[in-house]
Amino acid sequence: MHALRTDAAVAGSGVERRAAELFEQSRTVIHQRTDRLFAGLMIVQWLGGIAAAVWISPQTWIGATRSIHWHVYAAIFLGSAITSLPVWLAWKQPGQVLTRHVIAVAQMLTSALLIHVTGGRIETHFHVFGSLAFLAIYRDWRVLVTATVVVSLDHMARGLFWPQSVFGVLAGSSWRWLEHAGWVLFEDTFLIISLRQAVEDMQDVARRRADLEAVNAGIELEVAVRTKELTEAHQKLQASEARMRLILETVPECVKLVAADGTLLEMNPAGLGVLELERLDQVVGRSVYELLPAKYQPGFRALSEAVFRGEAGRLEYELVGRKGTHRWLETHACPLRDQAGRIVAHLAVSRDISENKLAEAALRDSEQRYRQLVQVLPAAIYTCDAEGRITLFNDAAVALWGREPELGKDLWCGSWKIFAPDGSPIPLEDCPMAIAFREGRSIRGREIVVERPDGTRRFVQPHPDPILDRNGKVVGAVNMLVDLTQRKAAEDQLLQLHQQLQESSRQAGMAEMATGVLHNVGNVLNSVNVAANCLADGVRKSKAPNLARVASLFRTHEADLGSFLTRDEKGRQVPGYLAQLAEHLKVEQAGAQQGLVELQLHIDHIKDIVAAQQSLAKLSGVTEIVEAPELVEAALRLNEGSLTSHGVQVLKEFEPGPPITVDKHRALQILVNLMQNAKQACKAGAEVPKQLTLRVRHGAGRVQISVGDNGVGIPRENLDRIFNHGFTTKKTGHGFGLHSAANAVREMGGSLRVDSQGAGLGATFTLELPHTTGPQSTVKMEANPADVIAIGATARPAHANDTSE
């Protein structure tokens, strides 16, 4: 109550201060307006005084004889002196106290001048009373006092010393000025009474206006608070009645006034926008029910009737605009009262809740999908409130529980006993669900064993999450229980299978190694077979049997051998034939020797393959320092016979560079396999000149050896699988060669990749090796004498147009 009295006192003092301000403003306006009024009046009086001096003064002072009297000059110059100061003050300082008192003095002096000019005519004395009436416009009794003092002093002085100028007689009573002063005071009395009444009226008007402004401010504040509660997204309404229309025009919600009979009295532009109309006259004066669908009209009528009973209410309804747009609106309605408290209309604020309706529908759909998702999940999921009562569960939870819980009654822990995986019991307050409740955080990964009401136990992994409100308080929880019972059983089986798989893997590895050896040896045996066939073919076509015929001829002519060789025509041809035969046999011997060297190389390669596989099985290897072109040439020599027999042209592009440290036999094996594959690709390709391109490039501490062909190519879908174990496109292939090669390259710290533009466009395999493979035992590779015999010189870099024989 004390606070209320204090607020009332503060409000009252504020109203009094505002009333005083308004009163002062009003009085200042009156003073300024009256100052300007007297400024014009003074000028008019000055001119009137001059006219009176010209026409009236001579007749008064000298009889009927008219002449320019000295009073004319007095009227001109004295009148200007009296008029100039108040006019200047009214122009420069209107409303000031000094200004109105100077005007009062000047006005009385002007009356005195006019009385003097007219010779004291009684009619002119009325100018004094008129002046007092005009000065009363100031509504300041002090101005009347100043004027009264001036006029009284003027009448007293001139009545004593110059009665003719004030009373029109040469001699008069010395107390006659008191009579005039009495009449002036008589008028002042009534004027002051009227001034006091006028001032009181002004104060009353100011007080009522201050009260009205305070009431308006309170109303505006209340409207702002109510509008803020309804809109929640807009600025507070300003506490000013003058700005209410602006707020009404700019508020985005539909605001309307409806009469008791349903007639629409007022609507803001936002309401027109909702109705999709352009002008206010399209709806004002019409029944608001016509704007609503028929099914919502009874509800709106009931709401309007409740409002006119003094109640407030709300209504949701769907509205179709003039252009066909469907909107959902929420209307809050309250009574609008006049000052007498009578309800004159109902004020309705409608906002578009279409998005809310869509959001609600989306929320319902989302909740439905969530429930469906929870039901189909294989993990047990349930939610509970802050007291642990179950509020939602899925079928998997029923299966895990052993029965269907009763919503809102069963507790999540009511029918369980909880154990650790080792079988030791866990107190209920130490289980993950209780920790999540107590500490308000998610718990992950701790496995527990739960004993169901039927006595069976299940291994589960709980994942509880607390449900928090805005203040971070735990209001519930959601828990997902992953049943691990079957997985635990499967893990035991998996362990046994893993042991079996390890044994099978070891045997498969041994089989893969053996397969690799057989594949690589098989590739070399093809070359051995070719070399052996060449030697056999050379023996079959040898000219050596002709020596037996020559020997038989010599035995036939043994007795006359000399005569036969010198005289017989056939005998004379024998020496030349022997020379030709010797030359031919020499060529055959060289070819056989070269074939034997190649055959020996292939046999050595087979031994190297076996030795390499044995060293690989022992996880050890010996590296050698070798020139990359020499390594390529050595692999080429091992495939030379096969390439030549198939008509494959070899192009070599060898770039000089530093030697590499590498497991020579393993790298040689890889290159031989790549060349064999390229030869087969060329053989199966189109009828075009078969071509094999060998390139050696160096850079960034690595060497790149490319084996390219223009054969059948590789489809793009096979590029990613070409090195997979068992993958092959050959009818008789087994898919081990490239897989073994890729593994061997990785062990040497290199890489093997393939590029092909597609089927029929050839392929290029690129072997990339580091210049140094690592700290292993290294030997220097010496030149093989057999290589010199086979090639005739040390291998050298070649250009793209070089071809092998």
Side-chain angles (χ1 to χ4, degrees):
M1 293 298 294
H2 177 71
L4 293 176
R5 287 195 296 270
T6 302
D7 293 341
V10 171
S13 61
V15 171
E16 291 298 328
R17 286 195 300 270
R18 179 58 180 163
E21 291 176 1
L22 294 174
F23 174 74
E24 291 298 329
Q25 291 175 2
S26 177
R27 188 161 61 177
T28 300
V29 170
I30 292 174
H31 292 166
Q32 292 174 348
R33 185 172 61 242
T34 307
D35 287 342
R36 289 190 292 270
L37 173 65
F38 271 103
L41 180 63
M42 296 296 292
I43 295 174
V44 172
Q45 290 177 152
W46 175 46
L47 296 177
I50 296 173
V54 172
W55 282 286
I56 300 176
S57 181
Q59 295 180 1
T60 302
W61 289 83
I62 309 178
T65 303
R66 299 178 61 86
S67 64
I68 295 178
H69 197 269
W70 68 273
H71 293 101
V72 175
Y73 299 105
I76 294 173
F77 296 107
L78 185 57
S80 64
I82 295 172
T83 302
S84 59
L85 180 58
V87 170
W88 183 84
L89 288 176
W91 177 45
K92 289 295 185 180
Q93 299 181 8
Q96 298 296 320
V97 175
L98 177 62
T99 302
R100 57 180 175 269
H101 282 279
V102 169
I103 288 175
V105 172
Q107 185 64 25
M108 293 299 100
L109 293 178
T110 300
S111 297
L113 179 61
L114 289 176
I115 292 172
H116 173 75
V117 168
T118 57
R121 286 188 178 185
I122 191 63
E123 298 91 345
T124 312
H125 284 270
F126 285 103
H127 187 273
V128 174
F129 299 105
S131 296
L132 291 174
F134 274 104
L135 289 174
I137 297 175
Y138 280 115
R139 300 187 184 183
D140 186 357
W141 62 271
R142 298 175 185 83
V143 175
L144 295 179
V145 171
T146 301
T148 301
V149 169
V150 170
V151 72
S152 298
L153 291 176
D154 173 71
H155 278 52
M156 180 183 69
R158 287 196 295 160
L160 293 176
F161 303 104
W162 201 358
Q164 187 178 5
S165 67
V166 63
F167 301 126
V169 295
L170 294 176
S173 172
S174 58
W175 300 102
R176 190 175 179 179
W177 66 273
L178 290 175
E179 178 184 353
H180 286 267
W183 285 110
V184 170
L185 291 174
F186 179 77
E187 182 179 3
D188 286 344
T189 300
F190 289 98
L191 290 177
I192 289 174
I193 292 173
S194 63
L195 286 180
R196 181 179 178 182
Q197 185 63 42
V199 169
E200 289 178 355
D201 292 342
M202 288 176 60
Q203 290 175 342
D204 186 55
V205 170
R207 190 177 298 104
R208 286 199 302 271
R209 184 176 174 184
D211 291 337
L212 182 60
E213 288 182 356
V215 172
N216 289 342
I219 293 174
E220 290 171 359
L221 179 60
E222 182 179 358
V223 170
V225 170
R226 290 181 179 276
T227 305
K228 178 179 177 301
E229 293 174 354
L230 295 174
T231 62
E232 294 184 357
H234 298 277
Q235 297 180 350
K236 293 181 179 179
L237 295 176
Q238 300 297 322
S240 172
E241 184 179 5
R243 300 179 62 184
M244 278 298 295
R245 172 53 59 181
L246 178 61
I247 295 174
L248 186 65
E249 294 292 331
T250 58
V251 70
E253 279 74 21
C254 169
V255 180
K256 54 184 175 291
L257 294 178
V258 182
D261 59 355
T263 302
L264 186 64
L265 303 176
E266 187 66 60
M267 177 177 284
N268 66 341
L272 294 178
V274 169
L275 296 174
E276 297 179 336
L277 299 174
E278 298 177 354
R279 301 187 315 276
L280 193 60
D281 58 6
Q282 292 177 286
V283 289
V284 170
R286 294 176 53 188
S287 173
V288 72
Y289 306 117
E290 298 176 4
L291 306 175
L292 301 174
K295 62 180 180 179
Y296 296 110
Q297 291 181 7
F300 206 88
R301 289 180 185 275
L303 176 64
S304 181
E305 292 172 358
V307 168
F308 277 94
R309 290 196 302 267
E311 304 173 4
R314 59 180 294 275
L315 178 68
E316 291 185 4
Y317 55 91
E318 190 177 12
L319 185 67
V320 181
R322 185 178 183 181
K323 299 179 181 178
T325 303
H326 288 254
R327 290 184 176 88
W328 275 94
L329 299 179
E330 180 186 49
T331 294
H332 290 260
C334 63
L336 184 67
R337 302 176 183 271
D338 59 11
Q339 292 182 352
R342 293 173 303 210
I343 301 175
V344 296
H346 99 246
L347 173 65
V349 178
S350 303
R351 63 186 183 95
D352 192 336
I353 58 171
S354 302
E355 293 185 0
N356 294 349
K357 286 291 184 180
L358 293 177
E360 290 174 1
L363 182 60
R364 289 193 297 270
D365 293 342
S366 177
E367 184 177 358
Q368 181 65 24
R369 289 194 297 269
Y370 168 73
R371 291 181 177 272
Q372 293 175 352
L373 177 62
V374 168
Q375 286 298 331
V376 300
L377 285 177
I381 296 178
Y382 68 89
T383 61
C384 58
D385 57 20
E387 285 73 31
R389 293 188 295 266
I390 296 176
T391 57
L392 175 67
F393 59 88
N394 64 351
D395 294 339
V398 175
L400 180 62
W401 245 291
R403 67 177 181 85
E404 182 172 337
E406 188 174 355
L407 293 178
K409 294 185 178 180
D410 278 349
L411 300 179
W412 67 269
C413 57
S415 58
W416 280 358
K417 295 179 181 178
I418 303 174
F419 301 89
D422 60 2
S424 60
I426 298 177
L428 184 61
E429 63 271 13
D430 292 339
C431 73
M433 192 65 179
I435 296 175
F437 258 113
R438 183 171 62 251
E439 300 182 4
R441 61 184 180 91
S442 302
I443 307 297
R444 294 288 185 273
R446 182 181 176 185
E447 295 182 4
I448 60 174
V449 178
V450 297
E451 182 177 307
R452 301 190 297 183
D454 60 2
T456 59
R457 293 189 177 187
R458 309 289 290 183
F459 283 89
V460 298
Q461 186 177 39
H463 297 269
D465 285 283
I467 301 175
L468 308 177
D469 61 9
R470 295 180 179 179
N471 300 321
K473 181 182 178 182
V474 178
V475 295
V478 57
N479 191 16
M480 180 177 69
L481 295 171
V482 181
D483 193 343
L484 306 178
T485 307
Q486 294 181 357
R487 195 188 77 180
K488 288 290 185 181
E491 285 178 354
D492 296 336
Q493 298 178 1
L494 184 62
L495 180 59
Q496 298 176 2
L497 291 175
H498 180 66
Q499 294 173 351
Q500 298 175 4
L501 185 60
Q502 283 182 330
E503 179 63 23
S504 300
S505 176
R506 186 183 67 84
Q507 296 177 0
M510 295 173 62
E512 182 178 352
M513 182 182 297
T515 302
V517 172
L518 293 176
H519 175 73
N520 295 328
V521 171
N523 287 337
V524 181
L525 285 177
N526 289 334
S527 300
V528 171
N529 186 38
V530 172
N533 289 335
C534 290
L535 287 174
D537 187 56
V539 171
R540 285 193 302 271
K541 297 178 180 179
S542 175
K543 300 296 184 180
N546 292 339
L547 287 175
R549 289 197 295 269
V550 173
S552 177
L553 186 62
F554 280 170
R555 283 193 299 270
T556 302
H557 297 281
E558 184 176 0
D560 59 345
L561 184 59
S563 176
F564 175 73
L565 294 175
T566 58
R567 295 177 182 177
D568 190 280
E569 181 66 28
K570 187 180 292 186
R572 288 198 299 268
Q573 295 178 357
V574 170
Y577 176 74
L578 289 175
Q580 293 178 359
L581 182 60
E583 188 67 29
H584 190 78
L585 291 176
K586 183 180 179 180
V587 172
E588 285 184 359
Q589 182 185 15
Q593 185 178 6
Q594 182 176 356
L596 290 173
V597 169
E598 291 181 359
L599 186 59
Q600 183 63 41
L601 286 174
H602 292 316
I603 294 173
D604 290 341
H605 189 202
I606 291 174
K607 293 190 294 183
D608 291 339
I609 290 173
V610 175
Q613 295 295 341
Q614 290 175 344
S615 63
L616 181 61
K618 297 177 182 179
L619 299 177
S620 63
V622 178
T623 61
E624 301 179 18
I625 300 175
V626 61
E627 298 286 344
E630 293 180 5
L631 188 64
V632 178
E633 290 285 3
L636 182 60
R637 285 194 298 274
L638 295 175
N639 288 283
E640 187 173 11
S642 178
L643 293 172
T644 303
S645 64
H646 288 89
V648 179
Q649 183 184 19
V650 180
L651 301 179
K652 294 179 283 187
E653 301 176 5
F654 295 165
E655 179 182 280
I660 60 175
T661 304
V662 70
D663 186 339
K664 174 192 172 184
H665 297 293
R666 182 176 286 187
L668 188 63
Q669 175 185 337
I670 295 170
L671 291 175
V672 169
N673 289 343
L674 293 179
M675 292 181 187
Q676 286 282 351
N677 289 341
K679 179 203 70 173
Q680 295 173 6
C682 290
K683 179 181 177 181
E687 296 298 327
V688 296
K690 301 177 179 63
Q691 193 174 81
L692 175 66
T693 303
L694 304 175
R695 295 185 177 88
V696 177
R697 297 284 186 269
H698 294 269
R702 302 178 76 83
V703 62
Q704 291 182 349
I705 302 174
S706 299
V707 179
D709 64 77
N710 63 343
V712 296
I714 303 173
R716 293 186 179 273
E717 61 271 16
N718 292 340
L719 288 176
D720 294 336
R721 301 186 293 164
I722 198 71
F723 297 110
N724 292 349
H725 182 271
F727 177 79
T728 181
T729 58
K730 301 175 184 176
K731 294 182 180 180
T732 59
H734 43 66
F736 297 149
L738 289 177
H739 175 68
S740 299
N743 291 337
V745 171
R746 281 195 296 270
E747 292 174 2
M748 292 188 291
S751 63
L752 181 62
R753 66 175 185 271
V754 62
D755 296 297
S756 178
Q757 297 301 316
L761 299 177
T764 300
F765 286 83
T766 302
L767 171 63
E768 185 173 296
L769 294 170
H771 284 150
T772 302
T773 59
Q776 298 175 341
S777 58
T778 305
V779 297
K780 174 65 177 179
M781 185 183 75
E782 303 295 342
N784 192 331
D787 293 345
V788 179
I789 294 173
I791 301 177
T794 303
R796 61 180 177 82
H799 299 287
N801 57 358
D802 289 343
T803 1
S804 64
E805 296 295 336

